Amino acid sequence: MAAVDAAARRLGLSAGQKAADALALVPHLVTADHDPDADRRALESLCDWCVRFSPAVAVDGDDGLLLDITGADHLWGGEDAMLADLLQRLERWGVPARGAVADTAGAAWALARFGQGGAVVAPGGQREALARLPVAALRLDEAAQAQLPRLGLHRVGQLYALPRAQMAKRFGLAFTQRLDQALGAAGEALAFRRPASPWFERLAFFEPISAPDDLARVAADVLALICKRLEGEGRGARRFEVVFHRLDGKAFPVPVGLARPGRDARRLAKLVAPKLDVVDPGFGIDVITVHAYAVEALAQGQSRIDAELDAAEALAPLVDRLVNRLGEGRVWRPDPVESHVPERAVARAAPLASPAAARPWNPDLPRPTRLLKRPEPIEVLAKLPDDPPLRFTWRNRHHRVRAAEGPERIGQEWWRGDFDDTGPGRIRDYYRVEDEAGGRFWIYRQGLYGDDASPKWWLHGLFG
């Protein structure tokens, strides 16, 4: 038995019990196959839904969630109201749940499972709140849970006055660590499903909304909240995520990114608006949240009235629109890389990133505006074998060459691979050619005449 409900528990069934034993107790018992993967997916979905209560939510084991509600409870009118709202929503959906609020994750875990449901411990009150709970509430291992009652230690409060060194020697350091974590004497790291970020704002609505205009309006409102906080602390962010929470618990995130740190709510709202078609409001959106990531210090600059506008600052709005419409990986800037091989001499960089440390390209050796991802074979007619081409055929189109420059001989970098990959057969003679229609191409001949294999011609790039 993987899990039992309250009705099964009243019949004497318990988790971990063999199915044959359970059927002996309850012959008419109806069971279903356990699907751990489906349970995990459901728990992770519930974890994502809880982001409406706190940006820091962690999955705890197979059946629990831990929420860090520091600084978020006031949005519900306090910890009591927040916990009650969470449990009521879960109950309406048919999800049995118990919860507790405490200063430490260990105390909340213990009270939710072994205390009275809905407990809210006053700050610093976990010692007293845990005193009457069984020792199993400390998340101890099975051996410690079995041995402590044999010593007459049944309640957590009985452990407070015991000598720590002797208890640690007998039950291990994990014993004292769990006790300290529950009481707040030791910290506990939680693996949040989303990166914990204090830059979080939320808006809740009395009536669910679904109209596209309303979605755009509330997105602008919640962005104004987070931008106001950023401005107050002299900071800006590179990435924002507006999340629309539907009544049935599904969430629709709408991410937007900036090329430079910013906090202009109107500009961000314009970037979010074209992406709202991904939001399916269904029966309505009742909560909207926003997260800010990659937060950096942003000075309040004031330029002179006669000063020229910074080029990067002027380009930033255009870059942001392109990135958010086309995708983050589709807008980039070529940066030089110190390599002789053309396809290795270019690296993609963020459009407004700082210049690369490598030496810039040699202006005496111009490179095409568009370098093909892979060179494409062409058929070439030349007067002499080593001459530039007179005609060539690319993609079934014939091009008569009007002018040609070259060759520029480029060999492979022998220190990167085997000799067969870098030998004479891999030498390239590049030509810059222009056809009669004005098209300018970068073509090369690979190989040398006199070798076993005849040289082949390839088209590698297009000049503007």
Side-chain angles (χ1 to χ4, degrees), residues 25 37 52 103 148 180 199 302 328 345 397 400 414 450 454 460:
L25 289 173
D37 295 336
R52 65 172 54 205
D103 284 355
L148 286 170
D180 290 343
W199 300 102
Q302 183 175 359
E328 190 170 352
R397 291 190 61 182
R400 185 180 295 275
W414 53 267
S454 300
H460 203 175

Side-chain angles (χ1 to χ4, degrees), residues 173-197:
L173 290 176
F175 171 82
T176 54
Q177 184 183 22
R178 285 301 193 190
L179 181 60
D180 290 343
Q181 288 176 343
L183 299 179
E188 182 175 358
L190 301 179
F192 295 113
R193 184 166 166 80
R194 291 166 175 264
S197 169

